[in-house]
Amino acid sequence: MKKPKVIVTRRWPLEVEARLADAFDATFNRDDIPLEQDELSAALAGADAVLPTVSDRLGARLFEGGIKAGILGNFGVGYNHIDIAAAAAAGIVVTNTPGVLTDATADLALTLLLMCARRAGEGERELRSGKWSGWRPTHLCGTHVTGKTIGIVGMGRIGQAVARRCHFGFGMDVVFFDQFAVTGLDFRARQLGTVDDVLAVADFVSLHCPGGGENVHLINAERLARMRPEAFLINTARGDVVDEVALIEALDARQLAGAGLDVFKFEPQVPMALRERDDVVILPHLGSATNETRIAMGMKVIENITTFFEGRQPPDRVA
Ligand code: DGY
């Protein structure tokens, strides 16, 4: 039987590419240069499956006509880079990779939280530049983490994993907002009525809601003004959840103490006004970037497209 034709838009871990090459008629992006819109369009027109990532923009226009692909097997849990309504209208199934990146992303949120609180970025820059003059009682003092309050916005898998780490690892109080009632947690946590309620009491606010739609600029000037001046904002969710211009203004006005950001609205562009600040820690979208996790994400995509081509329901179908 002819193997389904599959186009992979970026380099994937070698183990996963090998598995894809074995099971499918797979085309890889050996140069790892993001595909242009016309190349994505050609992929949709020529392949049975296209396997994109967060660095691909798949807006409605790409689904307007001449499509052969039956499935988009997204490499990643977030899919706000895909217009899933347009994909569904064009008869294309869309899948994602939930679950396997929960721990890696939660670990990275804690990395940012600790780096912000303990001024680790500043310290490393100082040492590397040869400016460290030695230990002294007042040097680079940060904020205590143990016993503080973590505020989670979006108490799904990753939000819960962050909260659990904060509760068990750092004895923190956990408050959270979620649009659904969350029950059955294995640690103490208080669900509050609004995002604003969380912002008003948390020492650290960690964002774990999806991007796009009504969450675009969820954290805007008004909400930033509700944060405590000692508080830090952590974002490992999606860049568009935070109004970056408003964040820079709020930091200038000292409405919050700092921010730890792994995601940005116009990646890989990051505003110079953020890059120059010492009160922000910025990382290049590393949330799921462990070898184990990236392999597991790739294998999950393979599971999804395999079930699709076998005529069964893919386990992680989102459209
Ligand atoms: C995801 O899975 O959505 C991540 O942001 C990509 O690592």
Side-chain angles (χ1 to χ4, degrees):
M1 210 179 81
K2 229 172 126 207
K3 291 177 178 176
K5 185 165 173 46
V6 166
I7 294 184
V8 188
T9 67
R10 301 301 300 263
R11 285 311 306 246
W12 284 18
L14 290 179
E15 297 86 331
V16 190
E17 287 191 349
R19 186 80 71 86
L20 281 166
D22 200 40
F24 302 100
D25 172 7
T27 303
F28 299 103
N29 180 352
R30 301 278 180 216
D31 300 330
D32 207 16
I33 296 168
L35 300 189
E36 300 289 349
Q37 289 292 297
D38 58 333
E39 293 172 304
L40 283 171
S41 186
L44 288 167
D48 299 300
V50 177
L51 312 186
T53 74
V54 64
S55 62
D56 299 306
R57 295 272 154 260
L58 293 133
R61 283 189 54 196
L62 276 182
F63 301 110
E64 271 168 10
I67 292 178
K68 174 179 179 193
I71 181 166
L72 285 176
N74 185 54
F75 184 98
V77 68
Y79 48 84
N80 62 318
H81 54 287
I82 303 171
D83 188 325
I84 58 164
I92 304 176
V93 168
V94 183
T95 59
N96 71 343
T97 62
V100 290
L101 45 71
T102 301
D103 286 327
T105 308
D107 290 349
L108 197 90
L110 265 294
T111 305
L112 285 172
L113 187 155
L114 291 167
M115 285 181 76
C116 284
R118 301 306 301 273
R119 303 176 66 178
E122 280 179 82
E124 213 214 13
R125 283 192 292 279
E126 180 185 273
L127 192 153
R128 282 180 186 271
S129 69
K131 290 189 185 139
W132 183 34
S133 61
W135 192 92
R136 55 198 189 278
T138 56
H139 182 222
L140 282 182
C141 293
T143 301
H144 210 65
V145 171
T146 298
K148 293 285 176 68
T149 299
I150 178 80
I152 305 283
V153 176
M155 199 63 156
R157 289 186 188 84
I158 300 173
Q160 290 183 30
V162 170
R164 190 173 290 111
R165 283 159 171 73
C166 289
H167 171 83
F168 290 113
F170 297 94
M172 296 172 84
D173 285 335
V174 178
V175 296
F176 68 92
F177 170 79
D178 195 279
Q179 56 176 323
F180 303 108
V182 178
T183 55
L185 298 173
D186 60 350
F187 52 88
R188 203 178 56 245
R190 271 187 307 136
Q191 180 158 14
L192 304 183
T194 65
V195 173
D196 291 12
D197 293 340
V198 170
L199 297 178
V201 297
D203 298 299
F204 299 92
V205 175
S206 196
L207 305 176
H208 301 289
C209 51
E214 58 193 27
N215 286 343
V216 172
H217 291 188
L218 177 76
I219 304 300
N220 56 17
E222 292 73 39
R223 291 226 164 86
L224 287 162
R226 294 188 189 274
M227 288 185 70
R228 304 178 54 238
E230 311 80 16
F232 293 87
L233 178 71
I234 309 299
N235 189 8
T236 54
R238 279 293 180 265
D240 63 7
V241 177
V242 176
D243 179 343
E244 284 171 355
V245 174
L247 174 62
I248 292 160
E249 286 169 4
L251 288 165
D252 282 341
R254 297 186 191 278
Q255 289 174 338
L256 68 165
L261 309 171
D262 184 46
V263 286
F264 304 90
K265 188 161 181 190
F266 300 111
E267 293 178 15
Q269 260 80 52
V270 178
M272 193 50 82
L274 284 176
R275 288 161 56 187
E276 285 171 339
R277 304 189 73 95
D278 265 337
D279 55 3
V280 299
V281 175
I282 47 179
L283 295 178
H285 203 147
L286 295 180
S288 62
T290 70
N291 291 319
E292 295 89 335
T293 300
R294 291 283 163 86
I295 290 169
M297 289 164 72
M299 295 304 178
K300 208 142 189 21
V301 177
I302 292 179
E303 184 190 351
N304 278 312
I305 63 171
T306 301
T307 49
F308 173 81
F309 287 123
E310 286 171 357
R312 294 181 289 124
Q313 184 72 253
D316 306 307
R317 182 171 180 173
V318 294

